[in-house]
Amino acid sequence: MKVVKRINNNAVMCTDSKGRSVVAFGKGIAFAIDKETGDLPLAAIERTFYNVDEHYLALLEELSPRVLAVSAEIIQAADLELPYELSHNAVLALADHITFALQRAKRGITVQMPLAYDVAQMYPIEYKVGVFALRRIFDALNVELAESEGVGIAMCLLNARLAPENEAETDAEARDDERLIGSIIARIEKTYGIEVDRHGFEFARFATHIHYLFGRIRTGEPMNTDGAELYGTVRGEMGRSAEVLDYACVLIEEHFGCQISDSEKLYVLMHIHRISHPRV
């Protein structure tokens, strides 16, 4: 590879044999550059990153080689588990996230994750990778991060998810999602004679859950089956919230052409009940 720019001792910007821009990473890699030709021997390269945004190029100067290495391992594991592709910048974004998590741990700061339970239930694959990441970080860096950091890593993966190539289609899906959520909220308000606080925490949790539900339906991800046996019992205790749920299920099933599981209905029902019975 031909070196274009030295970023630091462990990272350099290069062009490969096909003329593509690539960041090459390796311990002390800058010292392996041929001073006369500017060539970099392949043996000195540990990892390569293509299509890196300029923002992340600046980060390379600050990221620890050990953190970058463990981040690459986690992303590699995630690629084997996730039903979608991650951004080219996922490794660097996760390394940046882990760097701040390590700093928080050193200072004894624990980040609260209000939606932790929802993320674990709605995105079990990402959460599974997050839990794996905590173990791998401990093994590689000898730092035990709080369980909440696993949720943060799961969210980092979600943020690194590649958007569909057709942006118009994405925008249409977003509008459909908001319309469906708005219809369900309107039904709650009509049924209970209340005005839902659309800036409140319970609404945020509800909207997040429904967005994740729609996303799983579109990608064909397996739906969570935990708690399905409780659905009948809980439904019987929810009164008019169950009527709103039935309305919501009809909207969702007609729009997507599929039925949702009793487990999914249970979680939607619980969110509907929380919104319709706000705590003082």
Side-chain angles (χ1 to χ4, degrees):
M1 288 193 182
K2 183 73 67 174
V3 175
V4 176
K5 176 184 178 183
R6 171 175 167 167
I7 299 174
N8 58 29
N9 290 342
N10 304 306
V12 292
M13 176 71 76
C14 306
T15 55
D16 65 9
S17 59
K18 297 181 180 180
R20 296 176 299 179
S21 178
V22 56
V23 174
F25 179 85
K27 187 174 182 180
I29 195 172
F31 300 108
I33 303 171
D34 188 301
K35 294 182 180 179
E36 294 184 4
T37 65
D39 291 337
L40 181 68
L42 296 180
I45 301 173
E46 297 177 10
R47 301 185 189 278
T48 56
F49 304 99
Y50 285 84
N51 302 318
V52 176
D53 291 345
E54 288 189 13
H55 167 72
Y56 291 106
L57 288 178
L59 279 178
L60 277 171
E61 299 183 18
E62 306 172 7
L63 296 174
S64 157
R66 296 174 65 200
V67 171
L68 195 56
V70 75
S71 175
E73 290 182 30
I74 294 167
I75 292 300
Q76 186 175 27
D79 283 335
L80 296 175
E81 296 284 344
L82 298 173
Y84 52 80
E85 292 185 51
L86 295 172
S87 162
H88 296 290
N89 301 303
V91 172
L92 302 180
L94 179 59
D96 186 41
H97 181 91
I98 291 173
T99 297
F100 280 102
L102 294 172
Q103 293 174 0
R104 287 192 292 269
K106 184 177 181 179
R107 297 168 60 185
I109 299 174
T110 300
V111 176
Q112 299 299 320
M113 295 285 182
L115 297 175
Y117 180 77
D118 297 297
V119 172
Q121 293 297 321
M122 294 181 285
Y123 275 89
I125 300 177
E126 287 83 354
Y127 182 71
K128 175 185 174 183
V129 176
V131 172
F132 162 79
L134 296 184
R135 295 198 303 268
R136 190 67 198 95
I137 290 169
F138 178 76
D139 292 339
L141 307 176
N142 197 31
V143 178
E144 186 173 5
L145 297 179
E147 290 184 12
S148 60
E149 296 289 359
V151 176
I153 290 173
M155 295 299 294
C156 188
L157 295 175
L158 289 168
N159 290 332
R161 179 176 182 169
L162 280 178
E165 294 183 3
N166 189 333
E167 293 187 5
E169 179 181 339
T170 303
D171 291 341
E173 289 177 353
R175 289 193 296 270
D176 285 343
D177 290 355
E178 294 304 322
R179 178 179 57 79
L180 290 172
I181 290 174
S183 296
I184 297 170
I185 292 299
R187 190 57 171 256
I188 292 174
E189 292 177 328
K190 180 179 179 180
T191 299
Y192 285 95
I194 62 173
E195 183 176 350
V196 172
D197 179 7
R198 287 163 173 76
H199 301 288
F201 178 67
E202 294 300 349
F203 174 81
R205 289 187 62 164
F206 170 79
T208 299
H209 184 104
I210 297 298
H211 278 301
Y212 287 169
L213 170 60
F214 293 166
R216 286 198 303 278
I217 292 174
R218 288 192 177 101
T219 60
E221 291 180 40
M223 304 247 177
N224 196 327
T225 58
D226 295 340
E229 68 280 358
L230 298 175
Y231 171 64
T233 302
V234 174
R235 177 187 171 89
E237 299 173 353
M238 291 297 186
R240 288 180 291 171
S241 292
E243 298 175 13
V244 178
L245 171 69
D246 291 340
Y247 172 80
C249 287
V250 169
L251 288 181
I252 295 170
E253 291 169 2
E254 286 183 349
H255 182 75
F256 291 101
C258 68
Q259 292 188 330
I260 61 176
S261 68
D262 285 352
S263 177
E264 292 286 355
K265 290 179 181 179
L266 174 63
Y267 288 111
V268 175
L269 177 60
M270 292 170 65
H271 282 295
I272 290 173
H273 191 72
R274 290 192 186 110
I275 289 180
S276 58
H277 295 77
R279 287 170 287 186
V280 178

